[in-house]
Amino acid sequence: MQLSTYDTLLTSIADRFYRDLSPNQKPPRNEYLANLKNDLLGLTATVVDDPPWMLWLKVQERRIKMNNFEFKSLSKDKISAEEIFCMAEIALHLRANSYRARLTTASIESISGAKIDHNVTAKDLVNLRLPDYLWIEWPSFPKKSYDPWITRTVGMFISRFVLLDAPRHRLVTILEHPTAGQTYCQELIKALVENTIANIPCLGYQLIIVQQDDHGYRYIPCMFGHELAEPLTTMLALHKETSDRDKPKHLNAEQVWSNAAIRLLLIAASRGWFTDPAKQMFIEDASSAVLPNSPHVLFARKGTNGREIAIRPDYHTQFKPFAITND
């Protein structure tokens, strides 16, 4: 049976994670996947009863220790900081027993081209009560169809920035530890925390874009967020503005897939993909597309249980898949 991209990804990480073990310590290769999942679950075993924000903090502490260990390692094939970052994310995903989805490339294309109405706010997204951790995957696009940052991407980890749930006094403590060489991501985290302390509720999302090439996998982390009262389009516009300014190495990938990730969350909520704990994996029926390959608008409306996300055709806008702007 063909492995999902998720399992193939974890097997690839396991290959490197167990690389320096002696032959009598290494698990059999056909048990790499199961062993890595157990090892990553072990990373969170001692804090399993803690609230999600505390669990997140503890995993970041252990991620930093792993980074320091790899930095001092004499191995010629060190695990990169980005790969360790992804491992930490997978540990949180596994501990949350969270959901996964496998979509077709046609659906990813159509979802990416959907327009988000300005009436959909960050608060609406919070109230949809989506899982904190998600993995979305799809087959790779044909190389002749789009630019490499699109065709190489095979999936995304999408996670809510749960640290903002921490009590105010814990957030104040976090700000007391300044970080040298602030990156945009660190600046955004600080701004979101400061606003939350000032009783301005905020939402943040972290993305790890997973790309595949001839040499294995590449992991591109990025983050976006804003005040709950702001439209989601404003949140994405802020991300574009700051990433344009900072010019990260994978600028186009970050901007394209951040836009697609928010649309995926709204579609998932509208279609109820992640509501049944007994069904952790949603696999799209290829004979029934999630959205037709034409312009659509995602908007918020009053439902029986509060505001909900609805979808309508948009006859006045050109269909633009993988757009970088959100006009």
Side-chain angles (χ1 to χ4, degrees):
M1 183 178 68
Q2 185 179 7
L3 291 177
S4 66
T5 303
Y6 183 84
D7 288 346
T8 304
L9 170 66
L10 265 64
T11 302
S12 171
I13 292 173
D15 249 337
R16 293 166 54 70
F17 189 66
Y18 298 128
R19 72 196 186 286
D20 292 331
L21 293 180
S22 61
N24 64 322
Q25 292 177 310
K26 279 186 182 181
R29 182 166 292 276
N30 64 348
E31 296 178 12
Y32 269 20
L33 178 60
N35 274 266
L36 183 69
K37 287 182 178 180
N38 285 334
D39 286 339
L40 291 179
L41 279 170
L43 195 67
T44 57
T46 59
V47 288
V48 65
D49 296 322
D50 287 338
W53 64 267
M54 177 64 78
L55 178 61
W56 185 89
L57 277 176
K58 294 297 183 182
V59 169
Q60 304 318 306
E61 290 174 3
R62 290 162 191 182
R63 174 180 63 82
I64 291 169
K65 288 182 181 179
M66 290 173 68
N67 269 337
N68 292 337
F69 176 83
E70 285 297 317
F71 180 76
K72 297 174 183 177
S73 171
L74 299 177
S75 172
K76 296 179 181 178
D77 188 27
K78 294 183 180 182
I79 301 177
S80 69
E82 291 79 13
E83 192 164 5
I84 292 173
F85 195 84
C86 189
M87 289 170 66
E89 186 71 8
I90 295 169
L92 289 163
H93 187 272
L94 288 169
R95 179 53 65 191
N97 197 26
S98 211
Y99 292 86
R100 295 184 277 157
R102 191 184 306 168
L103 306 178
T104 64
T105 50
S107 285
I108 291 295
E109 181 181 55
S110 59
I111 289 169
S112 77
K115 183 178 178 180
I116 302 175
D117 192 277
H118 291 288
N119 83 328
V120 186
T121 65
K123 184 178 180 180
D124 288 323
L125 187 53
V126 169
N127 290 340
L128 295 174
R129 301 196 179 280
L130 288 160
D132 289 336
Y133 299 97
L134 290 171
W135 163 256
I136 313 287
E137 66 180 55
W138 56 89
S140 55
F141 283 85
K143 292 184 178 180
K144 294 181 180 180
S145 301
Y146 286 108
D147 290 315
W149 64 80
I150 293 172
T151 60
R152 290 174 182 163
T153 306
V154 293
M156 295 186 286
F157 285 100
I158 308 172
S159 63
R160 187 174 69 85
F161 187 43
V162 296
L163 180 64
L164 298 180
D165 297 342
R168 186 177 182 278
H169 71 279
R170 294 303 301 262
L171 292 175
V172 170
T173 303
I174 290 165
L175 288 182
E176 292 172 354
H177 300 281
T179 305
Q182 290 278 78
T183 63
Y184 160 66
C185 182
Q186 290 164 338
E187 288 175 2
L188 177 60
I189 288 174
K190 182 180 178 183
L192 293 174
V193 169
E194 286 177 338
N195 274 2
T196 303
I197 291 171
N199 295 316
I200 304 172
C202 291
L203 171 69
Y205 265 94
Q206 176 184 287
L207 199 65
I208 299 181
I209 303 153
V210 180
Q211 296 184 334
Q212 189 173 26
D213 56 28
D214 295 337
H215 305 290
Y217 291 98
R218 174 190 297 140
Y219 311 94
I220 306 172
C222 64
M223 188 170 180
F224 40 91
H226 216 307
E227 298 169 17
L228 288 192
E230 293 293 333
L232 288 180
T233 50
T234 302
M235 181 174 76
L236 292 170
L238 174 64
H239 178 252
K240 182 183 186 305
E241 177 186 331
T242 51
S243 56
D244 279 344
R245 180 199 70 195
D246 291 351
K247 295 181 174 61
K249 184 177 180 181
H250 303 289
L251 173 66
N252 289 316
E254 288 193 20
Q255 292 181 346
V256 164
W257 293 113
S258 295
N259 286 343
I262 290 298
R263 286 158 171 78
L264 278 163
L265 290 173
L266 296 176
I267 291 285
S270 177
R271 297 300 170 86
W273 289 348
F274 308 125
T275 56
D276 185 352
K279 296 179 180 178
Q280 300 296 118
M281 181 75 178
F282 169 77
I283 300 177
E284 180 190 2
D285 179 358
S287 65
S288 178
V290 172
L291 276 182
N293 213 350
S294 58
H296 283 76
V297 178
L298 307 173
F299 66 100
R301 68 182 180 190
K302 186 176 181 180
T304 54
N305 297 311
R307 277 162 69 88
E308 63 184 19
I309 300 302
I311 306 167
R312 66 172 182 261
D314 181 3
Y315 301 109
H316 307 291
T317 305
Q318 182 183 358
F319 179 57
K320 294 181 180 178
F322 305 113
I324 292 178
T325 58
N326 285 277
D327 299 330

